[in-house]
Amino acid sequence: MSDQQVISDSLIKKRARDRRAQNNLRKKREAHIYTLEKRIADLETELEGLQQVCYGLRCENETFKSRQSLIRRLVTSWTDHVPTSQVIPVATSGNSLVSTLLKTTDDAETTPHSPVPPHAIGQATEPAARSQRKVMEDLTSPRWNITPFHLDSDLIWSDLCAVCVAKPDLVHDAPEDPRPLELLYGSKTNLLAHAICTATCKWRCREPERLAAGWLTYHLIKWNSQPTERRFSLLREFQRPVGEQLCTPHPYFVDYVVWPRLRINIIKTQHIYDPRDVMGMLSCCMKVRWPWNETVLEPGDNGEFVFKVSFRETFTKLEGWGITQEFLDRFPLLAQDLDVSSVLYNFI
């Protein structure tokens, strides 16, 4: 073998080694770049979540501060012209609105400013003066006349909310009690029942859930649109608004959630979770504890279909409702202080 051939073979082997080395270097560089890009994406996601949490805490803190200031001024106004010996201490126990406000205004601390999360754009924080005026009015009203505090810039406008807000006269003219078939299939005479039917037809659920939720919603809307003591008495105890609903601006749909604790948690996390996602999941994850193959209606004395007594007794009790694990897994913060074992719905 000539020297020239030996040199040529050595050169070929060297070039092959160089190509392998360059290829390995290129792969390492690409892997490193991929790792860095993934790390950046994870950090951006984490940062967005923290910004949403900070924004929610800041809004909640501002609300608490305004309530605390209002309560102090209110209590001061009560005692300004009364001798000290005649001042009656303000009770902080019981279920009154004042006690609810006092409980939720302890030790509020200022949090740094953070960007508005995407789903909260357009949901401007209500002016403090307007919020204070509403609370002042509510403190002097009977319980049946105190309605929930809704967002003026609510981005969630279902067919139901749109009809109720845009055409209140149709709600007022609706009968006090709907027929079950109107809630299931609509009506040309009862437009409120027809609006509820149109909204619930889009839910991915069974007829028992549509019918039960529709009946509860019907009576809640009738009271909310034109409060009277009689209409308030028709609401189930679990339907009646809690302190957070009366004091904190929130989307309309929150009032129709059957569990009071879940309503509170949705209001508190409305700047963390997108309310549209929460509403969408609730429509398919909220279940009536009713057998799958059993009917819910029966012929009445006048020939019209009416609720089975057992079905009506089921959905008018809080224990007759359940929620699936899928919802709790998707929104873990909403399960805070919620008795999960009692609300969890297990498919049989």
Side-chain angles (χ1 to χ4, degrees), residues 212 215-216 235-239 258-260 287-289 309-322 342:
W215 190 88
L216 293 174
L235 300 180
R236 307 293 125 175
E237 184 63 34
F238 61 82
Q239 287 185 280
V258 296
W259 297 277
K287 305 293 182 183
V288 179
R289 300 186 189 277
V309 174
S310 56
F311 177 64
R312 186 164 183 155
E313 289 177 349
T314 298
F315 76 78
T316 53
K317 295 178 181 178
L318 193 58
E319 298 78 14
W321 290 87
S342 65

Side-chain angles (χ1 to χ4, degrees), residues 55 92-93 128 189 202 205 260 277 325:
Y55 175 77
T92 57
S93 60
T189 56
K202 299 176 182 179
C205 63
D277 293 340
Q325 186 65 50

Side-chain angles (χ1 to χ4, degrees), residues 27-284:
K27 288 182 178 179
K28 289 181 179 179
R29 183 169 60 248
E30 290 175 352
H32 186 58
I33 291 174
Y34 174 79
T35 302
L36 292 176
E37 289 177 343
K38 187 175 183 302
R39 178 61 175 161
I40 290 173
D42 292 342
L43 290 174
E44 288 178 345
T45 302
E46 184 179 355
L47 177 61
E48 182 180 352
L50 292 174
Q51 287 176 339
Q52 292 179 0
V53 172
C54 288
Y55 175 77
L57 292 174
R58 183 173 62 85
C59 292
E60 187 176 16
N61 181 63
E62 290 174 355
T63 302
F64 286 169
K65 286 167 62 179
S66 65
R67 290 182 200 165
Q68 188 178 44
S69 176
L70 171 63
I71 292 297
R72 284 176 176 170
R73 290 199 301 272
L74 185 62
V75 173
T76 301
S77 68
W78 290 342
T79 59
D80 271 348
H81 306 292
V82 181
T84 305
S85 59
Q86 298 179 18
V87 173
I88 301 174
V90 178
T92 57
S93 60
N95 195 29
S96 67
L97 178 59
V98 175
S99 65
T100 302
L101 291 174
L102 290 174
K103 272 198 304 182
T104 56
T105 55
D106 295 336
D107 303 326
E109 295 180 359
T110 305
T111 56
H113 175 75
S114 57
V116 179
H119 73 263
I121 295 175
Q123 296 186 12
T125 304
E126 298 290 332
R130 182 175 181 274
S131 176
Q132 292 174 1
R133 284 198 302 272
K134 175 172 175 56
V135 176
M136 288 285 286
E137 294 168 359
D138 288 348
L139 285 172
T140 59
S141 299
R143 189 183 178 194
W144 60 262
N145 198 37
I146 307 175
T147 56
F149 194 2
H150 297 126
L151 287 169
D152 287 340
S153 53
D154 189 355
L155 293 178
I156 307 175
W157 283 100
S158 65
D159 299 331
L160 177 58
C161 294
V163 168
C164 297
V165 176
K167 301 179 179 179
D169 54 319
L170 300 182
V171 177
H172 297 165
D173 294 340
E176 291 298 323
D177 203 32
R179 297 185 178 93
L181 292 182
E182 292 177 329
L183 297 172
L184 278 180
Y185 304 114
S187 171
K188 290 186 177 180
T189 56
N190 187 341
L191 296 186
L192 175 56
H194 187 78
I196 292 175
C197 172
T198 302
T200 57
C201 276
K202 299 176 182 179
W203 294 3
R204 294 175 293 171
C205 63
R206 304 177 300 162
E207 284 192 353
E209 280 78 34
R210 289 185 52 218
L211 190 55
W215 190 88
L216 293 174
T217 298
Y218 188 97
H219 287 282
L220 186 59
I221 290 175
K222 287 290 290 183
W223 166 75
N224 199 15
S225 63
Q226 196 172 36
T228 66
E229 191 170 4
R230 180 181 178 278
R231 287 175 176 172
F232 187 75
S233 68
L234 294 176
L235 300 180
R236 307 293 125 175
E237 184 63 34
F238 61 82
Q239 287 185 280
R240 296 174 181 178
V242 294
E244 283 76 4
Q245 291 173 260
L246 303 176
C247 305
T248 305
H250 59 274
Y252 285 86
F253 86 92
V254 176
D255 300 333
Y256 308 129
V257 178
V258 296
W259 297 277
R261 182 69 245 180
L262 186 55
R263 295 199 295 268
I264 293 172
N265 290 345
I266 294 174
I267 291 173
K268 288 183 175 180
T269 60
Q270 62 182 309
H271 300 294
I272 300 175
Y273 294 135
D274 190 335
R276 289 168 291 192
D277 293 340
V278 176
M279 182 181 71
M281 285 290 289
L282 266 177
S283 66
C284 62

